[in-house]
Amino acid sequence: GRDIVEAHYRACLYAGIRVSGTNAEVMPAQWEFQVGPTEGIDMGDDLWVSRYILQRVAEDFGVVVSFDPKPMAGDWNGAGAHTNFSTVPMRKPGGMKAIEEAIDKMSKHHIRHIKAYDPREGKDNERRLTGAHETSSIHDFSAGVANRGCSIRIPRDVAEKGYGYLEDRRPSSNCDPYRVTAVIVQTVCLEK
């Protein structure tokens, strides 16, 4: 796995994609890569192209890639597209107020977000968002500091500083990143 991950990482950097990290995950042979930081639509562009590059690199190694949120049944974590999000007011001192306001808005549109966060309007994510394995239940909205088992996580360092960003842990690994960005911006910034 590591050879594929490193080849993918280098190919993405060569292509100008903002990949900022990789790590092995809980499920056997599962790896993660992080795209960003980016602004707006660039996130979707970078994620789609990096997925394509991953498939091409894996092909060279004779490996098939799955973006399914729960590719194998079993007692282990699935795969998400955890999405870090912030606005200018969130990143300024005192930004925790803006983060909490965003979380409140998102709590009122949980079902709409769930439907936007996987291509089958939540059906793929049902197998992953069970309330176990560092996930929240697909049926309930929750938020917390440093809590990997909730819908929206505020990183501990953000809570301690009082500003930064939030992490939406609900998007599935096979999400359409443009739909994820759209629904978050509509809810938080446009109040739709």
Side-chain angles (χ1 to χ4, degrees):
R2 183 171 304 279
D3 291 340
I4 295 169
V5 170
E6 290 178 358
H8 172 250
Y9 190 81
R10 285 191 298 274
C12 285
L13 292 176
Y14 182 78
I17 294 169
R18 292 155 280 236
V19 173
S20 55
T22 63
N23 57 277
E25 276 293 338
V26 176
M27 191 174 67
Q30 180 185 18
W31 285 78
E32 169 184 307
F33 65 95
Q34 297 90 34
V35 173
T38 63
E39 290 185 20
I41 201 165
D42 287 340
M43 186 276 296
D45 296 345
D46 282 357
L47 185 56
W48 274 121
V49 176
S50 65
R51 285 173 173 171
Y52 169 76
I53 292 171
L54 178 58
Q55 289 176 325
R56 291 302 306 269
V57 167
E59 189 178 291
D60 288 344
F61 285 85
V63 173
V64 175
V65 174
S66 173
F67 296 110
D68 188 279
K70 194 77 170 183
M72 294 173 51
D75 189 22
W76 43 56
N77 298 28
H82 302 165
T83 303
N84 295 341
F85 174 80
S86 67
T87 60
V88 171
M90 291 179 189
R91 295 188 301 268
K92 291 183 176 178
M96 189 57 68
K97 182 176 186 293
I99 291 170
E100 290 168 352
E101 289 170 355
I103 291 170
D104 183 58
K105 291 174 186 177
M106 294 171 93
S107 74
K108 295 173 183 164
H109 298 282
H110 177 64
I111 299 302
R112 181 175 75 179
H113 283 246
I114 290 296
K115 288 182 176 183
Y117 286 170
D118 85 45
R120 296 183 55 229
E121 297 192 335
K123 296 297 179 196
D124 287 340
N125 240 347
E126 278 181 338
R127 293 176 285 123
R128 180 179 76 91
L129 296 178
T130 62
H133 305 106
E134 298 182 326
T135 68
S136 60
S137 168
I138 195 168
H139 305 291
D140 303 312
F141 181 89
S142 57
V145 173
N147 183 346
R148 293 176 166 274
C150 57
S151 308
I152 306 292
R153 181 177 76 94
I154 299 169
R156 184 176 315 283
D157 65 319
V158 170
E160 289 172 358
K161 287 189 311 189
Y163 61 94
Y165 64 95
L166 61 83
E167 176 191 27
D168 192 336
R169 299 178 59 79
R170 299 170 296 170
S172 65
S173 52
N174 63 346
C175 71
D176 176 340
Y178 302 109
R179 289 190 69 202
V180 172
T181 299
V183 75
I184 292 173
V185 170
Q186 286 170 350
T187 300
V188 175
C189 302
L190 303 177
E191 299 186 36
K192 287 186 174 183

